[in-house]
Amino acid sequence: LPLRLLHGHLQSRAGQLDAYAKILEDLEREAPPIDELGRFQLAQARAAYYIQRDDTESAGLLLEPLKALPETADTRFERRMRNQLSLVYIHAGRFEDARKLLKHNASVLTDKMPLEKDPAGILLGHCFTGLSHAQEGNVELAERHYRAVLRVTSCTIHEDTSEPSCMAAALLGE
């Protein structure tokens, strides 16, 4: 399951969303996950697909039940779920709900804690917090979040920080 999900993730990164959907459909049909963590991972992958297709309603239907994480899920899964669900909330105009989900991500940068295990998830969550402020018209606060991400990524030599850096720069440019 993890290798096929990784293959699907790579397809989505390459912009091959139809191929990504086929991999998810094949997984759901041929080898449905038997453990709770596998079902959770597959649901998160499907939600990511829906978000990329701008179908936040379907993503939300999948993600709401995922708030109760499996016991075997680590912080990366929780952070990914929070980030995905925050995008669903932002799209629905539920900005405060999105920020509540992302509150932990915001404290990570202000406390100068090291970016361990999932720097991209932490920093993307910070971008989404900024986006929620921008959508409400609070541009100055949004800019602070984007600049914080850029400051951290410019000082961090880690392969997982390029995507949040690009996102922060693009959002700042808008």
Side-chain angles (χ1 to χ4, degrees), residues 21 36-37 46-47 50 62 97 116 158 166:
E36 189 178 14
L37 181 60
R46 178 58 78 180
Y50 286 141
L62 272 174
D97 290 336
E116 297 174 359
H158 197 290
C166 290

Side-chain angles (χ1 to χ4, degrees), residues 116-156:
E116 297 174 359
K117 293 189 181 179
D118 188 24
I122 292 168
L123 296 169
L124 286 171
H126 213 59
C127 287
F128 299 151
T129 300
L131 181 62
S132 73
H133 287 295
Q135 293 294 311
E136 284 186 311
N138 193 341
V139 176
E140 285 183 33
L141 193 52
E143 283 183 10
R144 277 190 238 151
H145 287 277
Y146 305 147
R147 289 183 195 284
V149 170
L150 291 172
R151 188 173 46 255
V152 169
T153 58
S154 69
C155 299
T156 304

Side-chain angles (χ1 to χ4, degrees), residues 16-105:
Q16 304 295 322
L17 294 182
D18 291 337
Y20 184 30
K22 176 143 178 34
I23 289 169
L24 294 176
E25 288 165 9
D26 290 348
L27 274 171
E28 290 164 343
R29 186 181 61 254
E30 296 169 9
I34 56 172
D35 66 337
E36 189 178 14
L37 181 60
R39 288 189 296 275
F40 181 84
Q41 288 176 296
L42 190 54
Q44 271 194 331
R46 178 58 78 180
Y49 169 77
Y50 286 141
I51 289 169
Q52 288 178 321
R53 290 283 191 186
D54 287 330
D55 185 358
T56 54
E57 186 175 326
S58 295
L61 291 173
L62 272 174
L63 291 170
E64 284 291 345
L66 295 182
K67 284 183 179 179
L69 295 169
E71 288 183 25
T72 53
D74 65 22
T75 56
R76 290 173 299 156
F77 293 110
E78 179 181 12
R79 197 166 289 120
R80 189 175 304 137
M81 183 276 304
R82 288 174 180 266
N83 287 346
Q84 289 176 330
L85 194 51
S86 73
L87 286 174
V88 170
Y89 288 168
I90 289 169
H91 189 266
R94 296 170 56 189
F95 306 116
E96 192 58 39
D97 290 336
R99 286 191 290 271
K100 283 179 187 174
L101 274 175
L102 298 168
K103 198 170 199 166
H104 175 72
N105 290 5

